[in-house]
């Protein structure tokens, strides 16, 4: 079985996106948000069958851990009330996708984070999505400000309420920022990779996992710059008098395979233990075209993993075993369906 841990609903029906625009316009004008539109099951099916589902079948994957479009989370837009409304609308739509395609999609939720706000609303939405909608995790943005980086480090006690709820519910988070309003940082080419790298360094500097030994966090996009500079981070941990990374961070942190060329994937597997790598493609997402050097889609990451020369045991970990370990609620659901 091949489980893709990193999928976003980038092809949501147009009425959903139009409602968001209307919601933000209403906020700016001091009005109530418009009524959320009626979106039919057929519209959802078409948006999935012609896109993610078609590509999953063509590329030989079985299931996607699916969440709202990351670049559209927009925590920096509106206020906390707006963020709550938008997150609930996005998560309810993901639940409908999972309900229509239960063998292929399982939900991960967007949190209604808002700059300067506490995390009570995020805790409540996580619980709703896991308990009522059957979701298996969440996306957690380390920078709700959209590129200004005004939030405390992920090791700060500010974040502890969401970590406590994650541990209670036994769900992980993918550390994933949204759009960047800072023109210095291109969203997917700079802001995303900066966030991945920054999060990892914050984990080195702090002692988060001493307080939350059962917490599990996925850093996407192959861990940002971390594998490429692994010696730097090992050395910094030593200079900061921290334990080796294998003990201090990597019992709790996992990287995905959203790396869009073969040398990058090969490096990832040479540096990072396969037990800490979860298969992902971010399809359909940041890079949608074909590589002119290979003739294949950049985000067809299974091709790279297949060519990485993994042992059968390591391939089984990367393609499904690690995902089932990191997302135990997914494992429980699969076992209930007889997928051992």
């Amino acid at each position: 079985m091949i489980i893709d841990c990193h999928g976003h609903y980038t092809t949501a029906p147009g009425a959903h996106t139009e409602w968001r625009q209307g919601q933000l316009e209403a906020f700016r004008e001091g009005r109530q948000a418009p009524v959320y539109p009626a979106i039919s099951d057929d519209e959802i099916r078409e948006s999935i069958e012609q896109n993610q589902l078609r590509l999953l079948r063509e590329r030989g994957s079985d299931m996607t851990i699916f969440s709202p479009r990351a670049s559209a989370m927009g925590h920096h837009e509106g206020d906390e009330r707006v963020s709550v409304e938008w997150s609930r609308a996005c998560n309810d739509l993901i639940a409908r996708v999972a309900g229509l395609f239960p063998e292929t999609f399982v939900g991960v939720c967007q949190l209604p984070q808002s700059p300067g706000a506490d995390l009570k609303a995020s805790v409540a939405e996580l619980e709703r999505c896991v308990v009522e909608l059957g979701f298996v995790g969440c996306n957690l943005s380390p920078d709700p400000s959209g590129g200004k980086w005004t939030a405390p480090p992920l090791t700060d006690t500010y974040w502890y309420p969401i970590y406590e709820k994650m541990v209670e519910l036994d769900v992980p988070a993918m550390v994933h920022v949204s759009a960047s309003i800072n023109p210095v940082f291109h969203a997917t080419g700079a802001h995303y990779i900066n966030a991945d790298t920054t999060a990892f360094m914050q984990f080195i500097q702090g002692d988060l996992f001493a307080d939350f030994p059962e917490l599990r966090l996925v850093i996407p996009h192959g861990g940002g710059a971390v594998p490429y500079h692994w010696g730097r981070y090992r050395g910094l941990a030593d200079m900061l008098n921290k334990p080796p990374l294998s003990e201090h961070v990597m019992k709790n942190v996992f990287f995905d395979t959203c790396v869009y060329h073969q040398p990058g994937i090969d490096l990832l597997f040479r540096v990072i233990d396969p037990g800490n790598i979860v298969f992902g493609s971010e399809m359909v997402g940041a890079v949608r075209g074909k590589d002119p050097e290979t003739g294949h889609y950049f985000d067809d990451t299974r091709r790279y993993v297949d060519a990485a020369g993994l042992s059968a045991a390591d391939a089984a970990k990367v393609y499904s075993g690690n995902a089932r370990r990191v997302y135990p609620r997914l494992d429980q659901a699969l076992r209930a369906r007889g997928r051992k």
Side-chain angles (χ1 to χ4, degrees), residues 235-310:
L236 286 168
D238 182 65
M239 290 173 64
L240 292 168
N241 296 314
K242 301 296 184 181
L245 294 181
S246 59
E247 301 173 17
H248 184 50
V249 176
M250 298 308 287
K251 291 181 179 179
N252 304 82
V253 171
F254 304 83
F255 298 162
D256 73 14
T257 62
C258 295
V259 178
Y260 294 156
H261 66 148
Q262 192 66 50
I265 286 286
D266 293 342
L267 171 71
L268 178 66
F269 281 108
R270 281 200 301 270
V271 174
I272 304 301
D273 188 288
N276 287 92
I277 300 174
V278 187
F279 177 70
S281 70
E282 202 178 4
M283 174 274 294
V284 180
V287 180
R288 303 189 183 192
K290 287 186 177 180
D291 185 343
E293 296 180 4
T294 66
H296 299 290
Y297 285 100
F298 282 104
D299 63 4
D300 186 0
T301 54
R302 183 183 171 183
R303 298 182 60 85
Y304 312 136
V305 176
D306 282 348
L310 302 180

Side-chain angles (χ1 to χ4, degrees), residues 61-84:
S61 295
D62 299 295
M63 172 171 278
T64 295
I65 298 173
F66 206 49
S67 64
R69 185 173 188 165
S71 63
M73 291 190 295
H75 303 113
H76 56 280
E77 299 191 88
D79 59 10
E80 186 176 16
R81 176 187 60 80
V82 167
S83 191
V84 169

